[in-house]
Structure formats: structure tokens, C-alpha cells
Amino acid sequence: KKIVEFLVSAPAWAMTNFMTQCFDDPRVIEIASNSDPPVTLFKQTIHKRDNLNILDFGSGNGRLLSRIKESPETSYRVSNYACFDIDENYNEILIRKKANSVFNKLEKIPQGRYDIAVLVNVLHEMHIKDWAPSINKIRTALQSMGFLVIIEDTELPIGELPNDHGF
């Protein structure tokens, strides 16, 4: 009876599928669609402002950058789009995608320059001990009236292998 319940239970199959995904390397989404929730949220955030200096903190391969720069409704609103990621392997990709500047070390990020700093699905990738120094650096990088936008999935859509420190 238990095996029959398991075989016909959609939640059990979904959980099994999620668990098997956790044993694989996380899938990197190379391109965000225009309907991607983080892209949509960020576009709404910048919709009524112009001449923006943006810091994409934890930019990865520039998924958000691509959608902002390629979109007619947002590209003209951005005068400077800077990317920060600790992985230098993304630098060439980010420059090709038209990032104005790329930083790989916190101390290289200029102070008092940005209107908006955005983190999209970054915090769960960082050790919690790195949150305070990173947020403090972002705070100093923002202009006096600048603001921080944090967009973080609260439910992972696919399994993701935790790092040494969890999520």
C-alpha cells in the first residue's frame, strides 16, 4: 500500500525530483527572459528615473545587465552600469554585454557613486559572515539618496546543492 501511495503521489514525485537535483551542480541560467520575476521587479524599480548609475552586486554572467541594456524601456534610463562579482571569469562576458565597469574586489568599488545597488539572488550564495562587510561596502558606494534593492528567491525552483555554509 505504501509503494502505491508513493507512486501516485504528485508531491512525493516532486520532492524526489527536487532531491535528485540537489546532488547535481546547480544549473546556471545563462539568459533571463523578459518575464523573469527579478528582471520585471527591477524594471519596475527603475521605471520612473533617468540617468541612473547602477551597481549590480553579484552580477554573475550579467543576466540582469543584458535585459536592462537590451530593453528599449530601460536602456536609456541607465548612464552607468557597473558589475561586481568575485569570479573574474565573468569579466570578459560582462564587458561584451556592455558593462561600463567591472570589479572583483570590494575595495575597488568607488564610494558615493551609485543611485541604485541591486543584488539578485546573491545572499543565499554568500556566507552569512560576508553579509555585513558587503552591505556596508554597498552603503558607502551609494550616493546620499541612493538605495539598495535586494531580490531573493524564497523558494528555490529547482534543487541546488548547498555550499559549505548552507544557503
Side-chain angles (χ1 to χ4, degrees):
K1 181 175 175 171
K2 293 271 185 195
I3 193 76
V4 171
E5 286 176 17
F6 174 75
L7 292 174
V8 297
S9 169
W13 276 108
M15 180 56 139
T16 302
N17 187 41
F18 182 82
M19 289 172 53
T20 58
Q21 292 170 357
C22 290
F23 290 104
D24 291 331
D25 287 334
R27 182 176 53 126
V28 174
I29 301 171
E30 299 293 332
I31 299 171
S33 72
N34 280 322
S35 62
D36 187 30
V39 171
T40 303
L41 282 169
F42 192 64
K43 282 182 176 182
Q44 290 169 356
T45 302
I46 67 172
H47 181 69
K48 294 184 179 178
R49 301 195 55 194
D50 290 325
N51 202 30
L52 290 168
N53 291 306
I54 296 173
L55 173 62
D56 187 343
F57 192 92
S59 60
N61 66 7
R63 289 175 40 219
L64 183 61
L65 165 66
S66 294
R67 289 297 167 219
I68 298 303
K69 290 277 190 158
E70 294 170 0
S71 170
E73 68 222 27
T74 55
S75 62
Y76 74 94
R77 297 184 182 283
V78 178
S79 63
N80 178 48
Y81 197 107
C83 295
F84 170 82
D85 201 282
I86 59 171
D87 189 344
E88 293 179 7
N89 292 320
Y90 292 127
N91 291 5
E92 191 174 311
I93 296 166
L94 295 168
I95 291 166
R96 244 191 344 260
K97 290 183 176 183
K98 309 242 187 307
N100 298 98
S101 49
V102 178
F103 307 106
N104 303 113
K105 298 193 181 308
L106 286 176
E107 60 271 12
K108 298 290 186 184
I109 299 172
Q111 293 188 355
R113 175 151 190 193
Y114 301 99
D115 301 299
I116 300 172
V118 60
L119 286 80
V120 178
N121 294 325
V122 173
L123 292 178
H124 75 272
E125 299 287 348
M126 296 171 58
H127 189 287
I128 198 165
K129 74 176 178 51
D130 296 326
W131 287 12
S134 297
I135 299 295
N136 284 330
K137 179 57 185 176
I138 292 167
R139 186 180 52 79
T140 65
L142 289 169
Q143 294 178 11
S144 63
M145 297 301 289
F147 58 98
L148 171 62
V149 176
I150 298 175
I151 302 170
E152 187 74 31
D153 280 337
T154 56
E155 295 180 21
L156 295 173
I158 61 170
E160 190 170 311
L161 185 65
N163 59 41
D164 292 339
H165 311 289
F167 293 107

